[in-house]
Amino acid sequence: MTFSIDGMSIYETGLMESQNPVILCGLPDIGLVGIIAVSHIIKETGMEEVGYIDSDLFPPVVVFHHGEPKYPIRIFQKGNLIALFTETALSPESLSPLSKLIVKWAKDKGASLLVSIGGIGVPNRIDLESPKVYGAATSLPMRESIKNLGIPLMEEGFLVGPYALISKESKVESVLNLLLLAESFPQYPDPGAAANVILELKKFAPMDVGVKSLTERSEEIRMNARELMRKTTENMQKMGKSQEYELPMMYL
Amino acid sequence: MSVPRKLPTDSGSEWLAGAMWDHVEGCLEPLSEIQETELEIILRVDIPCVKRKEDISVKLTEDSATIEAEMEKVIQYEKWGTFQRQARFFRYSKTFLLPSKIDPEFSKARFKNKVLELRLPKKERHFTVNVD
């Protein structure tokens, strides 16, 4: 089955019917937090590859795994949990149609929750042993849940990039979007931030995922993700990511 | 503000010019970020797999900073990317051109969470003027 919008398509190659799934997004952003977290969840829970996303707006790239060329943006599933995961940097031009596609597809699947996993770049990350995770959501009850679960709300500020677009589109489509954003190194892959996001995510989507192995592999991940991080940083600069360090004009 | 490392000429390919690794010398280019304030330049360099501060060398001039760091152990890839060759890496190296002249003598460095942070005071002198 194919789901297409604005020249961008999701190809379902083995997606199983599931009722009100939780959909996780691991897109390239600050500290590659979402990509590292979702990659770990896919591995730890043994999720299976069930589809991919493609478009002419994406770079002409395939990634080889065990000799098989694969699409860099793929979809994984285990039961009611679905994960979107990308292995390549995404150009700013591709983000708007990609975000619309993801949200409309989530609505089509009757998703109970669309989770954006990302980072907030903090200059003092070097001194933080355990980075804080902030939450935000498109619905009031979910914002209450975030607070009740002891997660600080992202009260004020700007968010720039793929998760900003997903959030906006979710409001249009009435899809419940939860954002979990960990304090992170702005320009280095941050497995420590990813580990803390996973721990908070489990409060909303229970899963049998530990973070010990993620922490143990931290240095290896930091080494292997350097090139993706550098390309992502270049793209973030193009999309005006520095606005996240500005204050919003309106205080209510 | 950084000077890309030169890749070995046997690669002969321009498309490799932006690569962050040099398999011949076993060297990786570290990720880095430069922050400039009124009084100093802060340079942070990500060097995972480096264990001790004794394994890091920092050389400063008024205009540049050169970082060399030895990894705790050799990192070996049996088939390095599409390159499909064995590759072994054991150190980081990079020279940064700084956006302002600095005073190397009063510079400070620390190594924490596998990140090297240099605080490089600007050479430019600042004066405070009283407002009458």
Side-chain angles (χ1 to χ4, degrees):
Chain A
M1 186 181 165
T2 308
F3 187 93
S4 301
I5 289 169
D6 296 341
M8 193 165 283
S9 303
I10 289 182
Y11 298 87
E12 298 175 8
T13 54
L15 191 76
M16 307 293 283
E17 279 290 319
S18 60
Q19 206 165 11
N20 305 123
V22 172
I23 301 178
L24 310 178
C25 291
L27 300 177
D29 199 30
I30 293 279
L32 300 180
V33 174
I35 290 180
I36 296 169
V38 169
S39 164
H40 182 70
I41 291 167
I42 289 169
K43 193 175 171 190
E44 285 282 300
T45 59
M47 295 176 95
E48 292 194 4
E49 193 179 317
V50 294
Y52 58 88
I53 302 179
D54 198 24
S55 165
D56 290 344
L57 290 172
F58 294 155
V61 173
V62 292
V63 53
F64 291 103
H65 288 300
H66 306 294
E68 182 187 353
K70 288 179 178 283
Y71 289 82
I73 308 179
R74 300 193 299 284
I75 302 169
F76 294 80
Q77 180 183 29
K78 183 165 188 183
N80 251 19
L81 192 64
I82 294 174
L84 306 179
F85 169 72
T86 173
E87 292 190 86
T88 188
L90 300 171
S91 68
E93 300 75 37
S94 68
L95 294 181
S96 181
L98 176 63
S99 305
K100 283 182 183 164
L101 179 75
I102 289 170
V103 174
K104 287 181 191 295
W105 181 72
K107 186 173 186 175
D108 184 66
K109 295 292 156 201
S112 59
L113 192 58
L114 178 61
V115 190
S116 301
I117 300 173
I120 304 165
V122 289
N124 65 333
R125 173 67 179 94
I126 188 174
D127 294 313
L128 302 176
E129 289 305 325
S130 182
K132 201 183 283 184
V133 177
Y134 291 88
T138 50
S139 85
L140 181 60
M142 182 54 82
R143 289 195 291 276
E144 291 298 328
S145 296
I146 290 169
K147 283 194 279 189
N148 293 338
L149 289 166
I151 300 169
L153 264 187
M154 176 56 65
E155 297 275 0
E156 303 286 340
F158 288 108
L159 181 67
V160 177
Y163 295 135
L165 293 167
I166 285 177
S167 187
K168 287 201 291 188
E169 192 64 22
S170 293
K171 286 181 87 84
V172 172
E173 296 291 341
S174 299
V175 168
L176 179 51
N177 179 217
L178 166 68
L179 297 103
L180 292 174
L181 308 167
E183 293 177 322
S184 164
F185 286 117
Q187 296 181 25
Y188 311 144
D190 198 333
N196 280 12
V197 167
I198 290 172
L199 294 175
E200 301 295 18
L201 172 65
K202 288 166 72 172
K203 296 174 180 172
F204 301 92
M207 58 184 83
D208 188 19
V209 176
V211 295
K212 189 165 175 262
S213 63
L214 180 58
T215 310
E216 286 171 352
R217 291 179 53 237
S218 172
E219 292 188 66
E220 178 193 336
I221 293 167
R222 278 163 75 168
M223 276 190 63
N224 292 347
R226 289 174 318 121
E227 264 116 348
L228 178 55
M229 185 73 254
R230 185 170 72 171
K231 285 179 188 153
T232 299
T233 299
E234 288 167 6
N235 286 336
M236 287 192 299
Q237 283 163 351
K238 284 182 204 160
M239 66 179 88
K241 195 75 176 167
S242 58
Q243 193 175 353
E244 289 186 359
Y245 298 96
E246 297 173 11
L247 286 177
M249 190 61 199
M250 181 179 279
Y251 291 91
L252 295 174
Chain B
M1 286 304 152
S2 61
V3 181
R5 303 194 76 264
K6 267 193 171 179
L7 282 162
T9 49
D10 73 343
S11 67
S13 304
E14 286 184 12
W15 51 266
L16 275 175
M20 298 177 74
W21 46 270
D22 179 341
H23 72 286
V24 175
E25 294 193 17
C27 184
L28 294 174
E29 178 190 324
L31 287 170
S32 58
E33 56 189 21
I34 292 184
Q35 185 186 343
E36 189 173 3
T37 70
E38 190 185 351
L39 298 175
E40 64 180 357
I41 293 165
I42 303 166
L43 171 61
R44 296 190 188 93
V45 186
D46 191 35
I47 43 176
C49 299
V50 174
K51 192 174 183 186
R52 307 177 311 153
K53 63 181 182 183
E54 291 79 10
D55 295 328
I56 303 168
S57 150
V58 179
K59 288 180 182 156
L60 300 176
T61 69
E62 287 186 353
D63 307 300
S64 70
T66 298
I67 313 292
E68 304 269 348
E70 299 290 324
M71 294 175 195
E72 181 187 5
K73 58 182 180 183
V74 174
I75 307 295
Q76 183 163 317
Y77 296 85
E78 288 309 317
K79 289 184 176 175
W80 174 256
T82 312
F83 201 51
Q84 291 293 296
R85 285 193 214 174
Q86 190 187 76
R88 304 168 83 236
F89 300 102
F90 50 87
R91 67 188 182 96
Y92 293 97
S93 175
K94 190 169 182 178
T95 296
F96 301 87
L97 287 184
L98 302 173
S100 303
K101 282 193 184 302
I102 57 134
D103 195 337
E105 199 180 346
F106 296 103
S107 296
K108 290 179 180 170
R110 65 172 175 150
F111 180 51
K112 191 174 179 189
N113 289 332
K114 309 291 177 179
V115 174
L116 173 69
E117 182 182 79
L118 303 182
R119 299 190 90 99
L120 312 168
K122 289 183 178 174
K123 197 164 191 185
E124 196 176 303
R125 294 177 67 194
H126 290 260
F127 298 92
T128 304
V129 177
N130 291 328
V131 179
D132 296 326

